[in-house]
Amino acid sequence: MAREKRADEVLDWLGTAIARGDYPVGQTIPTEPELMELCDVGRSTVREAIRVLGSLGVVETALRRGTVVTERARWNVLNRDVLRWVMASRGHAADLMSAINEARLVFEPAAAALVAERADRMQIIAIETAFARMEAAAAAGDTTAAITADRAFHLAILSATGNPILEAFDSAIDGILGILFSVAANHMENYRANLSNHLAIIEAIRQRDPAAARAAMTATITFTTRRMKEAGLVG
């Protein structure tokens, strides 16, 4: 790394290395001088990267031991960077994806039900717009646009709940959506097949039917989970 590299780049390099298992749980990471040499950066850059890792629960400073990698259960996996680091590590990505899918089945159907009860017209339009973009991407076979539109659809629903706790799950949604595109050659076909479930969510929201919205969102996530299992991404 060149000396002008910023703390966030050192953070990304070190976070990826830890998630990959280069520095196992309970092991100390390199010392400040060692990291300065490895990354070719100054002390303040290294300290900032370690500070952020500590705030994310990935490392902690242990008396007489230095900076130690913590148990993964303590990591803030709702943080986008932590999600990305773990997703990039072969050994733990499947477990995390299974956990995220499980969590989605808990909170997204409930979020859809809330939206059916309380969303205003502009919020419904945002959801409808995202779905229209999903349809356009599916028709064009545009993978990048499809991922973007799918994320926008689900995030618009979380936003329309008006609940800041539910909205905080947006990073988990970002972490899971689009994974199939990178591993399953036929995922566009699956994406198109799942559009009807997404449309059912919109129709339930339009009709102010919380039970139907909940059921449609459950069907949407279950469809994706089934395809992930078929692709060997989750158990």
Side-chain angles (χ1 to χ4, degrees):
M1 290 188 184
R3 181 166 291 277
E4 64 270 15
K5 294 292 185 183
R6 297 175 298 172
D8 56 356
E9 294 175 271
V10 176
L11 169 69
D12 197 51
W13 173 79
L14 190 52
T16 300
I18 292 172
R20 191 169 53 230
D22 294 357
Y23 306 107
V25 172
Q27 180 176 315
T28 57
I29 64 172
T31 63
E32 284 185 4
E34 289 170 335
L35 286 171
M36 290 166 62
E37 182 175 353
L38 280 169
C39 301
D40 191 22
V41 293
R43 188 179 301 274
S44 61
T45 300
V46 168
R47 286 183 174 176
E48 175 61 15
I50 292 174
R51 183 195 67 77
V52 175
L53 285 173
S55 71
L56 296 173
V58 177
V59 299
E60 65 179 0
T61 300
L63 188 63
R64 298 191 182 89
R65 289 192 61 195
T67 303
V68 179
V69 177
T70 62
E71 295 285 342
R72 287 178 180 262
R74 295 175 56 185
W75 296 12
N76 179 9
V77 292
L78 289 182
N79 175 271
R80 285 182 176 82
D81 287 333
V82 177
L83 273 170
R84 180 167 48 80
W85 299 334
V86 177
M87 285 293 188
S89 66
R90 293 183 179 181
H92 300 277
D95 289 343
L96 181 57
M97 283 191 287
S98 293
I100 291 174
N101 258 356
E102 194 173 76
R104 289 185 70 193
L105 280 169
V106 172
F107 69 82
E108 281 202 82
L114 283 174
V115 172
E117 293 176 344
R118 62 176 61 159
D120 61 33
R121 185 58 193 150
M122 293 306 297
Q123 290 171 326
I124 294 175
I125 288 174
I127 298 168
E128 292 171 334
T129 299
F131 179 72
R133 289 172 178 164
M134 289 180 68
E135 288 185 306
D142 187 332
T143 297
T144 300
I147 295 171
T148 300
D150 199 358
R151 285 173 173 158
F153 179 89
H154 289 273
L155 298 183
I157 289 176
L158 290 181
S159 178
T161 65
N163 184 311
I165 303 302
L166 286 173
E167 289 182 62
F169 282 99
D170 63 350
S171 56
I173 298 298
D174 269 343
I176 198 71
L177 295 178
I179 292 295
L180 283 181
F181 283 102
S182 65
V183 296
N186 68 333
H187 184 58
M188 184 55 78
E189 178 183 340
N190 294 330
Y191 182 89
R192 294 186 181 109
N194 205 16
L195 285 175
S196 60
N197 287 322
H198 288 75
L199 180 58
I201 296 170
I202 293 177
E203 290 175 342
I205 291 172
R206 287 170 177 158
Q207 295 298 318
R208 301 296 182 182
D209 189 337
R214 182 186 295 270
M217 181 62 82
T218 300
T220 298
I221 298 170
T222 300
F223 181 99
T224 301
T225 302
R226 187 162 59 247
R227 295 302 182 267
M228 291 180 77
K229 288 181 178 179
E230 290 171 359
L233 288 173
V234 297

